[in-house]
């Protein structure tokens, strides 16, 4: 897999000897263990870092052994949002391994776990483009400002960046804003309660005129009941955006999608008209 260094990283990439020495020192302070099986990095082969991600430094290893990484291989699933019917594509079904990795990444600051998610979001975006056509922009589901400051990043925005090359579109993090804190949807028991909790929780910037590049894809980390994405889609559509699909790393309850080996990208072209606001 191609490795791309993030801009401005030259000073963070010392020579191999210095790098190995620094890593050894770091491991004395912060010993690395596989997020799923707990094996130390000396005990098993480590997962290959598949890509360099903006904001991560060279010592942010995947924190996943190669054996456990096979539990996160792409197995694309498709579903639809419950009310709008917008198609949803995910890299694989949501399972305990994926939930653990995402939780360690989001809530415990294990930043290197973004790397094993790269194939998942790429597979989801590729399937969405093949099945439903390309988009002009990728729009990550926004976090409430305070939560994003606490976490230090928006996981959906990182995933959108990781999948943007497959989509052929730019990522816009400023189109969608969460206007209030909504807590954890998973803690609510009914779909009605979850819909009510997120109703009106997003605001979107106005879309361009018809024919001016307003096809967007929404990106989230996990889609479970779909109510959060539904609220985001509703806010975007209300301001004139054409939401074509939703992609995520994991989807609960989707159908397996058979992707032909040669079925890479759609030959349909993105409307390259400039986006105006
Ligand atoms: Zn492991």
């Amino acid at each position: 897999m191609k490795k791309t260094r993030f801009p401005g990283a030259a000073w963070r990439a010392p020579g191999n000897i210095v790098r190995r020495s620094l890593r050894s020192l770091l491991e004395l302070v912060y010993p690395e263990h596989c997020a799923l099986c707990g094996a130390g990095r000396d005990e098993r082969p480590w997962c290959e870092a598949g890509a360099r991600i903006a904001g991560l430094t060279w010592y942010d290893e995947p924190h996943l052994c190669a054996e456990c990484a096979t539990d996160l291989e792409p197995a694309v699933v498709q579903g639809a949002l419950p009310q709008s019917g917008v198609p949803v594509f995910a890299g694989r079904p949501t399972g305990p391994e994926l939930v653990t990795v995402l939780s360690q990444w989001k809530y415990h600051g294990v930043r290197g776990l973004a790397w094993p998610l790269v194939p998942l979001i790429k597979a989801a975006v590729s399937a969405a483009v093949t099945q439903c056509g390309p988009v002009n922009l990728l729009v990550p589901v926004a976090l409430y400002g305070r939560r994003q400051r606490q976490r230090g990043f928006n996981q959906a925005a990182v995933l959108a960046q990781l999948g943007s090359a497959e989509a052929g579109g730019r990522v816009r993090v400023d189109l969608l804003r969460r206007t209030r804190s909504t807590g954890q949807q998973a803690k609510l028991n009914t779909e009605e309660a979850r819909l009510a909790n997120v109703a009106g929780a997003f605001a979107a910037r106005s879309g361009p005129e018809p024919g001016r590049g307003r096809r967007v894809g929404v990106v989230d980390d996990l889609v479970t009941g779909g109510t959060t994405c539904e609220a985001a889609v509703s806010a975007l559509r209300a301001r004139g955006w054409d939401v074509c699909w939703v992609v995520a790393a994991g989807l609960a309850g989707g159908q397996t999608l058979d992707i032909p080996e040669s079925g890479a990208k759609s030959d349909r072209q993105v409307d390259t008209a400039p986006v105006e606001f």
Side-chain angles (χ1 to χ4, degrees):
M1 197 176 290
K2 188 183 174 191
K3 290 186 179 182
T4 50
R5 284 201 174 278
F6 54 94
W11 66 273
R12 290 175 176 149
N16 281 340
I17 296 173
V18 178
R19 187 181 307 185
R20 277 200 299 271
S21 304
L22 286 174
R23 177 169 290 161
S24 300
L25 281 172
L26 265 173
E27 284 175 18
L28 281 176
V29 186
Y30 301 108
E32 290 181 311
H33 297 281
C34 172
L36 291 178
C37 72
R41 65 174 295 134
D42 295 338
E43 299 173 50
R44 289 182 172 185
W46 217 239
C47 172
E48 275 291 312
R52 299 284 174 191
I53 300 169
L56 296 184
T57 53
W58 55 264
Y59 53 81
D60 283 309
E61 291 289 331
H63 300 264
L64 204 62
C65 75
E67 193 173 321
C68 289
T70 61
D71 292 333
L72 294 176
E73 285 176 353
V76 176
V77 286
Q78 179 179 4
L81 293 184
Q83 290 193 314
S84 63
V86 169
V88 182
F89 299 88
R92 60 177 294 112
T94 301
E97 296 87 2
L98 183 56
V99 169
T100 300
V101 164
L102 281 166
S103 300
Q104 291 282 318
W105 182 41
K106 284 160 54 175
Y107 304 128
H108 301 286
V110 188
R111 302 187 311 165
L113 285 174
W115 282 344
L117 302 175
V118 173
L120 295 183
I121 198 67
K122 283 189 170 181
V125 171
S126 178
V129 171
T130 304
Q131 301 286 318
C132 302
V135 292
N136 303 100
L137 301 170
L138 286 181
V139 183
V141 170
L143 286 181
Y144 187 56
R146 188 178 62 221
R147 179 171 293 191
Q148 180 160 339
R149 282 192 295 277
Q150 287 169 346
R151 191 171 297 173
F153 66 99
N154 174 1
Q155 69 279 358
V158 174
L159 289 174
Q161 286 169 357
L162 297 174
S164 60
E166 303 294 311
R170 290 180 298 143
V171 178
R172 285 291 300 266
V173 296
D174 59 338
L175 292 192
L176 194 63
R177 185 168 58 86
R178 199 179 289 230
T179 55
R180 59 183 168 81
S181 178
T182 51
Q184 281 192 18
Q185 285 286 87
K187 291 181 178 173
L188 300 171
N189 292 328
T190 65
E191 186 178 323
E192 289 73 25
R194 289 191 288 269
L195 280 169
N197 186 44
V198 292
F202 292 95
R205 294 183 62 172
S206 295
E209 295 298 311
R212 301 289 289 178
R214 59 182 189 176
R215 287 173 60 88
V216 297
V218 170
V219 185
D220 206 353
D221 55 345
L222 284 180
V223 176
T224 306
T227 46
T228 302
C229 284
E230 198 75 90
V233 167
S234 175
L236 286 163
R237 284 185 164 172
R239 299 305 297 273
W241 295 99
D242 180 9
V243 182
C244 301
W245 35 258
V246 172
V247 288
L251 168 66
Q255 301 288 319
T256 304
L257 192 66
D258 284 327
I259 305 289
E261 286 293 318
S262 58
K265 292 181 183 175
S266 166
D267 54 5
R268 279 178 277 181
Q269 295 298 306
V270 178
D271 168 17
T272 52
V275 177
E276 294 177 357
F277 298 96

